[in-house]
Amino acid sequence: MVQVVIKALDILELVAQRNGQAISLTEISEELQLNQATAANIIKTLAEKNYLEHIGKKKGYRLGPGAFQLTNEVAYGQNLVNAAKEEMENLTARLNESCILGTLRHYKRYILHVVNSNQDIQVRIRSERSVYETASGRLLLAYLSEKERERFLQQNGLPDMITWEEGSTPEGLLSALDSIRQEGLATTFFKHTHLLGFAVPIYENKVVVAGLSIFLPEYRFSASRKREIVQALREAGEVITRKLS
């Protein structure tokens, strides 16, 4: 058991040395002279505990949020947060609605940063949620490559009709995701919770790396309010993208 702990720490140290760049399973096993099956099992456990994050089949692994939380010094996705933080604060001040910066992690929508409004009624936020349940999650799914989307669907299946009626069939989901990409905007409205969400993409080097979203209760919503929210979101997203580029 002690040897397993030592090997796990060796893997974490090796990944940390890459400073955010992904490293493959093959590279890890070769550099640490580990049997690939043994390395794969340890890495799988570290990923399940959020100490490592799987970027993609060909890209490999990097440190996950659990590793950063150990030190309380450097936040997960800090470069992205640094680029977005000021503009998110401006966005919330402008609309007086909470906004979030979200990304995909382990096939779920993961929140990197939140700026809360001062409204008396606040929407409860969970750091991780189903991709289908959130505007930013749907948006990020829409911008995945075809292979990444196929892996996502193999893992998660289709949404049910209550969660996302339009996307509850293979054809419907592809059509909905295509519409999101064409508009550069994802929206959600859940009648049972009376909540609405809007999200726009954040790009880095022409790749969508996050979704910027606003969410609010239905009673604070109107057609004119929608136009205001969408315009403000798009403007904020463009500013953040320029900072990242």
Side-chain angles (χ1 to χ4, degrees), residues 39-101:
N41 286 331
I42 295 172
I43 288 169
K44 181 181 178 182
T45 301
L46 291 171
E48 288 174 350
K49 296 296 290 182
N50 294 329
Y51 291 107
L52 290 180
E53 179 181 33
H54 189 206
I55 305 304
K57 190 174 182 180
K58 294 183 179 180
K59 295 180 181 179
Y61 299 83
R62 67 184 178 192
L63 291 181
F68 291 96
Q69 289 169 2
L70 288 175
T71 62
N72 290 321
E73 291 180 358
V74 181
Y76 175 72
Q78 189 63 53
N79 289 340
L80 185 53
V81 173
N82 287 342
K85 186 176 179 181
E86 181 180 0
E87 198 57 35
M88 289 177 68
E89 291 172 352
N90 293 338
L91 183 63
T92 292
R94 176 176 175 179
L95 298 173
N96 196 19
E97 299 292 354
S98 298
C99 69
I100 67 170
L101 184 70

Side-chain angles (χ1 to χ4, degrees), residues 136-218:
S136 55
R138 294 181 186 184
L139 178 115
L140 292 165
L141 178 60
Y143 284 95
L144 289 181
S145 69
E146 185 176 350
K147 288 186 177 180
E148 289 172 323
R149 187 172 64 245
E150 288 175 358
R151 286 195 291 268
F152 175 90
L153 291 172
Q154 288 174 0
Q155 179 77 17
N156 295 274
L158 293 167
D160 57 51
M161 291 193 67
I162 295 176
T163 303
W164 193 4
E165 182 176 356
E166 298 90 338
S168 60
T169 65
E171 299 79 8
L173 181 62
L174 290 178
S175 177
L177 296 178
D178 185 56
S179 295
I180 289 172
R181 288 193 302 273
Q182 288 185 21
E183 292 187 48
L185 175 74
T187 62
T188 55
F189 172 54
F190 297 105
K191 295 180 181 178
H192 62 290
T193 59
H194 302 283
L195 294 177
L196 298 102
F198 301 87
V200 299
I202 302 297
Y203 291 85
E204 184 174 13
N205 297 323
K206 298 182 179 180
V207 176
V208 174
V209 294
L212 179 68
S213 63
I214 288 285
F215 50 95
L216 68 160
E218 183 183 10

Side-chain angles (χ1 to χ4, degrees), residues 98-109:
S98 298
C99 69
I100 67 170
L101 184 70
T103 188
L104 288 184
R105 184 171 68 89
H106 299 320
Y107 298 122
K108 291 188 177 181
R109 192 290 316 275

Side-chain angles (χ1 to χ4, degrees), residues 15 19 108 131 155 207 241:
V15 176
N19 295 318
K108 291 188 177 181
V131 164
Q155 179 77 17
V207 176
T241 291

